[in-house]
Amino acid sequence: MSTTTYGATYATSSGKNFIKSYITWDVSSTATTTTFTFTAGCHIDSGYTTNAKITVACLGQSKTVDDKGWGGGNHQMISGSTSWARTTSAQTKTVTCTLTLANGNTSVATVSVTVPALASYAVTYNANGTNVSNMPSNQTKYYNTSLTLSGTVPTRTGYTFLRWNTSASGNGTNYNPSQAYTGNSALTLYAVWQPYTYTVSY
């Protein structure tokens, strides 16, 4: 948990400045989302007895109270949470919490939240032989998304390209060019070749 404290001046005849506000928050992530959970409130120092409306607002929530001679202590105002979807790029989200006093004075706390990118997995293509050209470029697959495999078909002198396979021997799982890959793991695909055959007549 992290906490920041910020204040807003409320001018009185004695020049008192006894109001402070705070926001406490926590950030947690799952494979697909990042969640921001917060509590925001205010603190009235002992001796502050002016009847002053105080409003705390954060993430679309707000609450207004009248101190009416509170003798001090922390006073919870609002709490809640919000979640953001993780995407293929990291994001920065800004959360603001505002303290507003009856005389219009305000203070704003700003919290910067990093939303990590989705986990990524490398998809690589192996020529599985010599004299191979037109190889597809490697790709990146992201968690719980569907990747369309490259439609580029390699060529090899004296051979016909048949398909891709997860094993160099061709005994693994077959994949075709432009097929969808939905697994959440790295993938190496080996070219499967069939040599040309020729008829010899006598």
Side-chain angles (χ1 to χ4, degrees):
M1 297 291 286
S2 301
T3 301
T4 188
T5 302
Y6 58 107
T9 300
Y10 189 86
T12 67
S13 58
S14 60
K16 291 182 177 180
N17 177 19
F18 286 126
I19 299 175
K20 292 182 179 179
S21 187
Y22 63 89
I23 177 172
T24 298
W25 71 91
D26 188 34
V27 178
S28 60
S29 290
T30 66
T32 56
T33 60
T34 293
T35 299
F36 177 86
T37 304
F38 76 96
T39 297
C42 64
H43 173 81
I44 313 297
D45 283 356
S46 298
Y48 189 92
T49 57
T50 302
N51 291 336
K53 288 184 177 180
I54 305 166
T55 301
V56 175
C58 192
L59 286 176
Q61 298 187 57
S62 65
K63 186 174 181 181
T64 301
V65 297
D66 192 320
D67 72 276
K68 293 190 181 301
W70 283 347
N74 290 309
H75 304 275
Q76 180 175 325
M77 305 285 283
I78 53 178
S79 62
S81 65
T82 190
S83 295
W84 301 284
R86 295 171 62 174
T87 64
T88 56
S89 299
Q91 309 164 70
T92 299
K93 301 294 184 179
T94 301
V95 177
T96 58
C97 190
T98 304
L99 173 67
T100 305
L101 302 182
N103 68 346
N105 288 344
T106 62
S107 289
V108 178
T110 301
V111 178
S112 181
V113 182
T114 298
V115 181
L118 290 167
S120 61
Y121 314 95
V123 175
T124 57
Y125 297 89
N126 187 296
N128 201 23
T130 58
N131 299 319
V132 177
S133 59
N134 201 42
M135 281 290 293
S137 300
N138 295 334
Q139 296 175 278
T140 301
K141 162 76 170 62
Y142 292 93
Y143 181 84
N144 268 14
T145 63
S146 180
L147 173 70
T148 300
L149 298 176
S150 176
T152 300
V153 176
T155 58
R156 182 183 183 188
T157 303
Y159 292 81
T160 299
F161 173 81
L162 297 180
R163 67 188 72 87
W164 299 104
N165 194 274
T166 56
S167 171
S169 66
N171 294 323
T173 302
N174 289 323
Y175 286 92
N176 294 314
S178 300
Q179 182 176 333
Y181 174 58
T182 58
N184 291 318
S185 60
L187 182 69
T188 299
L189 295 174
Y190 298 86
V192 178
W193 302 103
Q194 182 180 63
Y196 290 168
T197 58
Y198 304 90
T199 299
V200 178
S201 301
Y202 297 91

